């Protein structure tokens, strides 16, 4: 292990993050189980890319079969690619009737920015003040939730995303009535738009993650995202929903996270789970926007939406439907929320259940969450994550204080495996709370 770590540092450098004090080396996986180099098995409560399960046989077979038949760049006709486009577009509202394929979430968001800035003739971007949407130059200029040396661009205004269950709404969680939180948050949107206009940037777009996952799974007031979208459109900008985290049924409530907010975005960006680990991303948009962008730009993507990627994407859609994974995410999510609420009653230093479906967590505090002086406790959160790892269950943490336990298993998780995840969490909380 040390040897591999040294070789990694000596070749890839030490800067790319590794999880855990003692990093794990996995050698194979299936379903929600990962096997390490010693032969020990870990329950995957973290990874959303293997959406329908690690090494799902149908996805593996689809990739292998297509790779053995034809894999070629995207400048020839291929029925599999068009089949996939049709199947994927059928999951969206009618207004979103075109798709551009890419290879990653970053590429998708970068392309969405190009489309929005060209459409609006403006350059101003609204972004959450603690978020991550990718690693290109344009996205580095709007990155607020990770270190990026470029720093925020002058054309960027940040929004504090309200959280009715969070530690960052003024005062103890939930102290303010929902409509007061909504009014204040939308006033902030108005001010940000006015500031962009006054500075001459105008408004090109708002980009947000429909689950507000990097922020810490914020529960926004009803109407917040609708109000935000209306204001951006009134100012001439486009609404970009980043579904890299919240898409493909992750929330259980809907196939797409933006539906949970009652909006139809102008652009939807996708990545991570789309190919179950095979690099695949995309941007869904109305024909009118593509017809504006297309003639002005010779946009072409060598790998984006090649036949093997399309085969992987199609197999993911098939498995999601045949194994009822979105419905199961909803059922499991409901049971998880109830169990987390019960754990909160036993360990008052954890907050209310956060998230939706199979992306869930709890804020970890330094004392009972209901106490006026309660503060998010990143060290305690890390201790819980490490205690879970010690018990061979993978989870992580998110949020601006790194104090929200982040649990996001493959959608393929079975009820008995959910029970094991929750029982292990109960043990880890008991261990850390007893220190
Ligand atoms: C919400 C969101 N958008 C975009 C990205 C970037 O995706 P990728 O790493 O595939 O470029 C990420 C990656 O973590 C993400 O979480």
């Amino acid at each position: 292990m040390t040897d591999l770590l040294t070789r990694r540092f000596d070749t890839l450098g030490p800067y790319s993050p590794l999880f855990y004090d003692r990093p794990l080396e996995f050698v194979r996986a299936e379903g929600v189980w990962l096997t390490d180099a010693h032969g020990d098995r870990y329950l995957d409560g973290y990874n959303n890319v293997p959406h329908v399960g690690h090494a799902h046989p149908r996805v593996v077979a689809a990739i292998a079969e297509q790779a053995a038949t034809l894999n070629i760049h995207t400048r020839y006709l291929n029925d599999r690619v068009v089949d996939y486009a049709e199947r994927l577009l059928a999951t969206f509202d009618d207004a979103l009737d075109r798709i551009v394929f890419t290879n990653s979430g970053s590429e998708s968001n970068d392309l969405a920015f190009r489309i929005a800035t060209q459409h609006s003739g403006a350059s101003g971007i609204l972004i959450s003040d603690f978020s991550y949407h990718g690693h290109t130059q344009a996205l580095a200029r709007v990155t607020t939730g990770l270190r990026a040396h470029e720093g925020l661009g002058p054309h960027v205004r940040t929004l504090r995303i309200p959280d009715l269950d969070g530690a960052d709404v003024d005062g103890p969680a939930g102290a303010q009535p929902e409509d007061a939180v909504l009014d204040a948050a939308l006033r902030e949107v108005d001010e940000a738009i006015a500031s962009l206009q006054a500075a001459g940037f105008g408004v090109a777009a708002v980009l947000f993650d429909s689950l507000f996952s990097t922020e810490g799974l914020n529960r926004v007031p009803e109407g917040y995202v609708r109000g935000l979208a209306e204001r951006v459109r009134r100012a001439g900008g486009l609404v970009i929903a980043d579904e890299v985290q919240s898409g493909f049924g992750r929330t259980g409530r809907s196939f797409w996270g933006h539906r949970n907010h009652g909006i139809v975005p102008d652009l939807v960006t996708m990545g991570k789970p789309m190919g179950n680990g095979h690099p695949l991303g995309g941007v869904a948009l109305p024909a009118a926007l593509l017809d504006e962008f297309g003639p002005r730009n010779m946009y072409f993507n060598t790998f984006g939406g090649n036949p093997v990627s399309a085969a992987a994407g199609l197999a993911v859609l098939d498995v999601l439907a045949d194994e009822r994974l979105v419905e199961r995410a909803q059922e499991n999510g409901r049971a998880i929320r109830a169990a987390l609420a019960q754990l909160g009653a036993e360990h008052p230093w954890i907050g209310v259940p956060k998230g939706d479906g199979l992306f869930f967590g709890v804020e970890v505090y330094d004392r009972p969450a209901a106490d006026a002086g309660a503060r998010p406790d990143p060290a305690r959160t890390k201790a819980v994550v490490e205690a879970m790892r010690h018990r061979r269950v993978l989870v992580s943490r998110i949020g601006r204080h790194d104090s929200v336990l982040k649990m996001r298993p493959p959608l393929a998780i079975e009820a008995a495996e959910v029970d094991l995840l929750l029982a292990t969490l109960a043990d880890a909380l008991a261990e850390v709370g007893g220190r």
Side-chain angles (χ1 to χ4, degrees):
M1 161 63 70
T2 310
D3 189 42
L4 186 57
L5 194 60
T6 307
R7 283 171 53 214
R8 172 171 163 132
F9 286 172
D10 286 349
T11 49
L12 307 177
Y15 309 108
S16 178
L18 276 167
F19 285 152
Y20 298 114
D21 292 341
R22 276 187 306 122
L24 285 162
E25 180 191 355
F26 289 119
V27 292
R28 65 179 164 275
E30 64 180 316
V32 292
W33 293 95
L34 289 141
T35 304
D36 75 3
H38 308 289
D40 291 327
R41 274 161 45 96
Y42 288 72
L43 175 63
D44 191 351
Y46 176 78
N47 286 293
N48 60 341
V49 172
H51 196 54
V52 301
H54 289 273
H56 193 290
R58 289 178 69 184
V59 181
V60 172
I63 291 172
E65 193 187 306
Q66 186 61 49
T69 309
L70 171 76
N71 194 20
I72 196 159
H73 64 80
T74 52
R75 284 174 287 191
Y76 300 101
L77 283 176
N78 184 273
D79 61 349
R80 208 143 268 167
V81 173
V82 179
D83 285 349
Y84 181 45
E86 289 169 352
R87 286 276 303 282
L88 188 60
L89 284 170
T91 66
F92 286 100
D93 288 85
D94 291 347
L96 297 164
D97 57 357
R98 294 288 185 274
I99 178 104
V100 180
F101 290 121
T102 67
N103 304 285
S104 69
S106 296
E107 259 193 286
S108 302
N109 283 325
D110 197 84
L111 175 61
F113 272 4
R114 286 185 72 195
I115 294 169
T117 48
Q118 291 185 25
H119 170 78
S120 62
S123 58
I125 301 285
L126 294 175
I127 201 89
S128 149
D129 75 346
F130 198 81
S131 58
Y132 177 71
H133 297 279
H135 53 66
T136 68
Q137 172 87 3
L139 293 165
R141 306 300 313 266
V142 304
T143 294
T144 51
L146 291 182
R147 201 166 54 240
H149 183 66
E150 285 86 347
L152 281 192
H155 62 294
V156 180
R157 296 294 180 275
T158 60
L159 303 171
R160 288 180 305 166
I161 307 299
D163 183 4
L164 296 167
D165 296 327
D168 293 310
V169 178
D170 294 338
Q176 292 188 65
E178 182 165 340
D179 49 356
V181 176
L182 177 63
D183 286 350
L186 290 179
R187 239 188 341 270
E188 208 171 288
V189 174
D190 288 332
E191 285 162 13
I193 288 174
S195 164
L196 283 174
Q197 289 169 331
F201 295 112
V203 178
V206 62
L207 171 63
F208 65 93
D209 164 0
S210 298
L211 257 170
F212 301 107
S213 57
T214 303
E215 292 85 339
L217 297 169
N218 295 14
R219 182 165 72 88
V220 297
E222 169 65 30
Y224 172 68
V225 173
R226 258 195 327 275
L228 171 62
E230 280 162 17
R231 282 163 173 76
V232 167
R233 284 178 172 145
R234 223 180 293 137
L238 296 183
V239 175
I240 309 171
D242 180 334
E243 296 278 356
V244 166
Q245 295 285 347
S246 55
F248 293 90
R250 172 59 52 181
T251 71
R253 269 202 282 160
S254 324
F255 200 84
W256 298 110
H258 57 262
R259 291 212 178 114
N260 299 338
H261 300 291
I263 65 153
V264 180
D266 301 301
L267 296 147
V268 176
T269 58
M270 293 158 263
K272 289 190 195 284
M274 197 169 173
N276 213 49
H278 190 86
L280 178 57
V283 180
L285 72 174
L289 276 182
L290 187 60
D291 291 342
E292 182 180 62
F293 182 81
R296 289 177 179 164
N297 305 276
M298 220 300 276
Y299 179 85
F300 131 83
N301 195 320
T302 301
F303 298 125
N306 66 65
V308 174
S309 301
L314 271 168
V316 168
L317 293 181
D318 286 340
V319 176
L320 281 170
D322 294 351
E323 298 185 13
R324 295 180 53 256
L325 292 185
V326 183
E327 294 86 340
R328 276 168 52 189
Q330 184 165 43
E331 290 153 17
N332 283 324
R334 224 177 279 128
I336 289 164
R337 284 188 86 81
L340 290 179
Q342 178 59 36
L343 284 174
E346 290 159 26
H347 305 282
W349 48 277
I350 66 169
V352 297
K354 289 167 111 353
D356 243 336
L358 283 183
F359 198 146
F360 52 93
V362 284
E363 182 93 48
V364 174
Y365 290 90
D366 60 352
R367 67 196 81 175
D371 286 9
R375 296 299 311 148
D377 191 335
R380 208 177 212 183
T381 319
K382 180 169 186 291
V384 176
V385 172
E386 291 284 347
M388 297 284 281
R389 176 230 200 266
H390 189 66
R391 291 168 172 77
R392 300 197 185 133
V393 176
L394 306 181
V395 300
S396 186
R397 55 195 179 129
I398 39 172
R400 75 178 63 240
H401 307 292
D402 243 356
S403 55
V404 177
L405 281 177
K406 174 184 189 182
M407 293 174 277
R408 194 189 50 177
L411 256 53
I413 195 166
E414 304 275 351
E417 293 157 342
V418 169
D419 289 347
L420 177 61
L421 173 65
L422 293 167
T424 310
L425 178 62
D427 288 348
L429 292 175
E431 179 194 320
V432 173
R435 282 179 192 167

